[in-house]
Each structure stands twice: as C-alpha cells, then as structure tokens.
C-alpha cells in the first residue's frame, strides 16, 4: 500500500505544481518542452529497462527486440511504460497540429522527430490499451483542429464496423483483452468479477491500495490463473473502487 500511496501523493503534488507555476506563456512553453522531453527520455529508457513482450502483435518481427539489451535489474512491464508514454505523445502531436506555422523550422523538425520516436517505442511495447488511448487522443485533436474534423468520427466508426465484420467480434475481443497472464475475454471477466465481489464486500473502505492480488487470492480464488499472478483489476474504475471503496471512487 505504501508505494501506491506515495505514487498518488506525488501525482497530486505534480499537478498542483504545474497549475500554480504555469502563469504565463513563457512558462507554458517551458512546461510543454519539459513534457515532450520527458516522453523522449522515457522512450529512450525503455530500450534498456523494459521486459519486452513480443507475442501480442504478430506484425512486429521478434528480431527487432533482439537489438535491445536489458541493463537494469528492476525491469519495467511494457504496459506500464506504454501507459506513461501514451499520456505524453499527444502533447507534441497537438503542438504540431495546432502551431506548425508558428514554430521555427528547427523546432518543428525536432518536435516531429521526438513524436515519431516516442510513438515508435509505444508501438514496440505492443500495449493495445495504450495504442487505443493514443488513437482516441489523436482523434480528439483532429476534431478540435479543423472545423470539419468531426467527420473523422463516422469514418472511424465505419472502419471499426468493417473490421468487426471481416474478423469477427470474438476475435477482436480476445486480441484486445488477452495477455501474458490473462488469456482472452474469459480471463478478464473473471478478474473483473473478483473486483466486483470486493466492492460489494468492502464498499465503504475498499480493501486498501495495492491489495487486490492478496485479497483475491485469499477470499476469491481464480479458476483461470494461479495465485500471485493477477496484481490488479485491469480496469481503472474498478481498481479505484477496490482500493478506496465507493466514496473513494466518487471522489476520484
């Protein structure tokens, strides 16, 4: 619980610092530059710190990952790294969309290189959730950028419908939800059901931050996964309610 509490406190402190420090355009520029560089730094660190998974997206050759050498003992899960990078990529991408003509040429080139580099590393993490999140963020940016940008919504829906028609809904759901420790939609549903049990039984207080795995293995054992394998609820809303109870979910 302690690391999770520290993480939450640092997150709150970070956002309050940004809001109270960012008082003019000059500081806004420094903040944007810092966030873009943070994305590049995380992407660069991923090359030697991520425990790469190569079996999710078959289109990426496994030989690509043979060039990466792990240099740290405490490796990072690719989904965790992808979740952090995906938050930062839209900042540079939006700046390119909205302010391309206002940027100096060298600034635009560096920003484009940074965005392409971080996006490439995100793709290599094979984190489907992060890729879907980035796609949604870019869709919002397009809608806000151009007067007729909203046309991208029906085209996206049509493309998704055609994909479902060609491949099949079950295949797509299994592709999105399956993972190294979770096999297919059935595995995710079992994980979510344990989270719902916890919310029902600990609705006011929650089970405590970071305690999902211990409580699930003790009180609601899995049928499709071994003990000690499922660390969290695989859904942010369920996870907050599990950790902090219904009042915590409402506050969040």
């Amino acid at each position: 619980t302690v690391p999770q509490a520290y993480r939450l406190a640092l997150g709150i402190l970070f956002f309050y610092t940004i809001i109270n420090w960012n008082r003019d355009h000059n500081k806004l520029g420094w903040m944007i530059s810092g966030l873009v560089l943070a994305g590049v730094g995380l992407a660069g660190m991923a090359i030697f710190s991520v425990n790469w998974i190569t079996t999710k997206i078959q289109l990426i050759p496994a030989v690509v990952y043979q060039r990466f050498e792990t240099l740290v003992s405490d490796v990072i899960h690719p989904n965790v790294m992808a979740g952090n990078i995906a938050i930062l990529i839209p900042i540079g991408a939006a700046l390119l969309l909205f302010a391309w003509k206002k940027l100096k040429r060298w600034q635009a080139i560096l920003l484009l290189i940074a965005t392409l580099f971080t996006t490439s590393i995100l793709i290599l993490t094979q984190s489907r959730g992060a890729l879907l999140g980035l796609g949604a963020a870019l869709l919002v940016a397009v809608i806000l950028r151009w007067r007729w940008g909203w046309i991208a919504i029906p085209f996206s829906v049509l493309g998704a419908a055609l994909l479902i028609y060609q491949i099949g809904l079950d295949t797509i759901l299994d592709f999105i939800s399956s993972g190294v420790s979770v096999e297919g939609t059935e595995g995710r549903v079992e994980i979510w059901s344990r989270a719902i049990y916890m919310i029902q039984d600990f609705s006011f207080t929650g089970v405590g931050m970071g305690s999902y795995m211990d409580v699930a293995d003790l009180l609601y054992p899995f049928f499709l996964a071994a003990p000690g394998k499922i660390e969290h609820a695989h859904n942010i809303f369920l996870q907050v309610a599990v950790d902090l109870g219904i009042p915590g979910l409402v506050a969040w």
Side-chain angles (χ1 to χ4, degrees):
T1 298
V2 172
Q4 299 297 330
Y6 283 154
R7 186 178 298 172
L8 175 63
L10 285 172
I12 294 173
L13 178 64
F14 176 69
F15 283 111
Y16 268 94
T17 301
I18 287 178
I19 291 170
N20 289 309
W21 179 78
N22 182 30
R23 297 291 185 180
D24 55 50
H25 288 289
N26 190 34
K27 289 183 176 180
L28 176 64
W30 281 106
M31 185 191 74
I32 292 174
S33 299
L35 291 174
V36 172
L37 288 174
V40 173
L42 282 173
M45 189 174 69
I47 295 174
F48 60 85
S49 64
V50 167
N51 183 24
W52 298 100
I53 296 172
T54 63
T55 57
K56 289 183 179 179
I57 302 177
Q58 302 298 328
L59 294 177
I60 302 177
V63 69
V64 174
Y65 299 93
Q66 295 177 2
R67 299 178 179 273
F68 301 151
E69 182 179 356
T70 304
L71 302 178
V72 297
S73 57
D74 188 12
V75 295
I76 303 171
H77 194 282
N79 287 345
V80 175
M81 178 61 75
N84 287 281
I85 296 177
I87 294 173
L88 298 171
I89 291 175
I91 297 171
L95 195 60
L96 288 170
L97 279 176
F98 285 86
W100 177 267
K101 294 181 179 180
K102 296 180 181 179
L103 296 172
K104 297 178 181 178
R105 179 174 296 181
W106 65 269
Q107 290 176 325
I109 293 174
L110 288 178
L111 190 58
L112 180 61
I113 293 173
T115 302
L116 292 175
F117 173 66
T118 50
T119 303
S120 299
I121 296 296
L122 177 64
I123 293 172
L124 289 177
T125 64
Q126 301 192 22
S127 174
R128 293 153 298 191
L131 289 170
L132 288 171
L134 176 61
L138 295 179
L139 178 63
V140 170
V142 169
I143 293 171
L144 295 175
R145 175 62 179 86
W146 290 286
R147 180 181 300 177
W148 297 100
W150 61 269
I151 296 177
I153 296 178
F155 276 105
S156 299
V157 173
L158 179 61
L162 290 174
L163 186 65
I164 292 173
Y165 177 77
Q166 291 292 330
I167 300 177
L169 181 60
D170 291 339
T171 303
I172 292 177
L173 288 175
D174 279 338
F175 172 75
I176 293 174
S177 61
S178 64
V180 175
S181 59
V182 185
E183 290 299 334
T185 309
E186 291 183 358
R188 289 297 173 103
V189 170
E190 186 179 59
I191 294 171
W192 296 333
S193 70
R194 271 46 178 182
I196 292 173
Y197 295 156
M198 293 181 199
I199 296 169
Q200 291 174 337
D201 293 342
F202 301 90
S203 55
F204 292 106
T205 63
V207 301
M209 297 179 69
S211 300
Y212 174 90
M213 182 173 68
D214 296 327
V215 175
D217 290 343
L218 182 65
L219 299 180
Y220 322 98
F222 296 99
F223 296 114
L224 301 178
K229 290 292 186 181
I230 309 300
E231 298 181 0
H232 52 82
H234 286 77
N235 179 285
I236 186 63
F237 301 101
L238 291 177
Q239 186 65 52
V240 173
V242 164
D243 285 351
L244 304 174
I246 298 297
L249 176 62
V250 172
W252 181 80

